[in-house]
Each structure stands twice: as C-alpha cells, then as structure tokens.
Amino acid sequence: MLMHMSISGGILIILILALRMLAIKRLPKKVFVLLWEIAALRLLIPFDLPLRYGIVSPVVVHAEKAVLDVSRPAAGIIDWRMVLWILWISGIAILLFIFGIRYYRESQRLADALPVSKDEDEILRMLVKIPERVKIYVSDRTSTPLTVGMVQSRIILPKQLRADRIDLKYVLAHEMVHIRRVDNVLKMIMLMAACIHWFNPLAWMMYLFFDRDIELSCDERVLEIYGEKQKKNMQKLCLIWQVRQ
C-alpha cells in the first residue's frame, strides 16, 4: 500500500510540476498550493486516484511489480521485505531526529525575542488588522520576518527591519496571510509526507515547491488587498519574504 501511494503520488507530483512549468504566470499561485495539498493527501491517506486507466496505468503496474519482485523472499535467502521495512522505519527516525534538532535550535535562536513596546504595538496594529491573539516580537537574531507557532502565532520582526523604517504594512500583511491560512500547520503536514516517503525524491520536490508557492501566493494576496499600484513596494520586500531561515 505504501509503495502504491508513493508511486501514484509521485505521478501526481510530476503532473503538477508540468502544469506549474507551463502555467506559473497564468494561474493564481493559490491554485498550485491547493494542488500540492492534494498531492500530500495522496501520500498520507490511502485512497485511489483515477489513474487506473490511461497512459499512467502501465507505469503504476510495472513499478509495483518490480518492487514486489525485489522484496519477495526466496527459499533460504534473507527476507528483503523485513529489511526494507527496517530501512524505511530507520529513515523516518533519522529524519525526525534531524528536523527535531533543527526545530530546537531555531526555537533557542528566537527564544530571546522581545515583545515590541506598547506604543509600537498599537501603531503596527493600526497598519494592518492584527488580532490580539497574535503577538508581535522583535529579534536581532533573525534577518527575515517570521511567523512562528501553530496554536498561538507570533510575528517576529528583525531589528534591522525596524531600524531601516521600511514600510512594515506589507510585511505584516504578508505574515497575517500566513496565519489566516494556517501555513505553519500545512508546512508540518508537507514535511510529514516527505519524511514518510523519504525514499521518493518527488516527495521532497513537492515539499520544496510548496514552500516556494505559499510565499508567492501570500505576495499575490497582499497585492490583491492593496492594489497593483503597490507592486514596486512589494518587489522591494520580495527578497525579505522569499529568503527564509
């Protein structure tokens, strides 16, 4: 079942990549975000896609047969199914350990972030409608605006960004789009799908392109809110938004 999900999910990812290459400038970026979410669901939930017929059916059939032939144990020989199972579990465990360490280090790096002053907090909330549940912090240990937390969201602004007096309205609007769309939760789901299918390079491509497309989709949404006339201002901030640490 896992291999069937990975193969059919990989085919879906290839189709999305082809569509993205042909229509990235024609379709709204949120369309691609939705497609990546469907691909992740295919990798995580065992359901059938309409791929049993058409040109992709032979690919799925032959790939599954090849995997079965490799994993089928012969008399007196090692049970390769058990070996593959152990390798798969070990791969997931190693990846969870690596990403767990990265998450811990990132949390420690941002642990010293301080809430902005009351006056500045009021000014920033006047620029963009930010609910009280979302706290605004500032840190000198990050060079890009960040949204952290999946339950209680925090916006962390770089100290340099405030010092440069860049118009923070677009930065805050961008981060609020992330929060309203629960992008941190979606990123975690994408990472989970990639870790489960760590042996499939297409799963990692899905994860990387999803991360890129949600940034583009947020930029697109901010432009819809403030109008095309603000496009030049948005372009000045693209380097800040698209380079994540």
Side-chain angles (χ1 to χ4, degrees), residues 31 154 213 216:
V31 171
R154 292 185 298 159
D213 286 341
L216 295 175

Side-chain angles (χ1 to χ4, degrees), residues 26-49:
R26 299 178 184 178
L27 294 176
K29 306 305 179 292
K30 60 184 178 182
V31 171
F32 298 105
V33 173
L34 176 61
L35 291 175
W36 293 128
E37 292 170 356
I38 294 173
L41 288 177
R42 180 67 193 102
L43 293 174
L44 291 171
I45 303 175
F47 64 89
D48 285 331
L49 289 173

Side-chain angles (χ1 to χ4, degrees), residues 7-177:
I7 293 170
S8 57
I11 292 172
L12 182 58
I13 292 169
I14 290 174
L15 295 175
I16 296 172
L17 288 172
L19 177 63
R20 190 182 186 281
M21 182 177 63
L22 295 173
I24 185 64
K25 294 183 179 180
R26 299 178 184 178
L27 294 176
K29 306 305 179 292
K30 60 184 178 182
V31 171
F32 298 105
V33 173
L34 176 61
L35 291 175
W36 293 128
E37 292 170 356
I38 294 173
L41 288 177
R42 180 67 193 102
L43 293 174
L44 291 171
I45 303 175
F47 64 89
D48 285 331
L49 289 173
L51 298 176
R52 294 183 179 275
Y53 307 99
I55 61 174
V56 298
S57 180
V59 177
V60 175
V61 172
H62 287 298
E64 289 182 337
K65 285 184 177 179
V67 172
L68 289 174
D69 290 339
V70 171
S71 61
R72 184 178 294 115
I77 302 179
I78 298 174
D79 186 347
W80 288 106
R81 290 185 181 181
M82 181 59 67
V83 173
L84 293 175
W85 175 261
I86 294 173
L87 287 175
W88 176 61
I89 294 296
S90 300
I92 294 177
I94 291 171
L95 287 170
L96 290 178
F97 176 77
I98 292 173
F99 284 111
I101 292 296
R102 289 183 59 183
Y103 178 81
Y104 174 77
R105 289 179 177 176
E106 184 73 6
S107 299
Q108 292 296 109
R109 185 170 68 89
L110 299 174
D112 296 333
L114 299 174
V116 297
S117 66
K118 184 177 179 180
D119 291 340
E120 187 173 6
D121 185 81
E122 292 178 357
I123 293 173
L124 294 176
R125 293 180 190 276
M126 289 175 60
L127 294 176
V128 178
K129 189 176 181 181
I130 302 176
E132 289 297 326
R133 63 181 177 83
V134 178
K135 305 304 180 183
I136 306 175
Y137 286 73
V138 62
S139 173
D140 58 358
R141 303 188 68 181
T142 179
S143 59
T144 62
L146 298 171
T147 296
V148 298
M150 290 183 284
V151 179
Q152 292 184 332
S153 298
R154 292 185 298 159
I155 297 175
I156 300 181
L157 300 174
K159 196 171 185 178
Q160 185 64 35
L161 184 65
R162 294 160 67 240
D164 288 344
R165 297 292 182 179
I166 297 176
D167 193 344
L168 292 174
K169 177 169 63 175
Y170 309 110
V171 173
L172 293 171
H174 179 96
E175 298 304 325
M176 279 307 302
V177 174

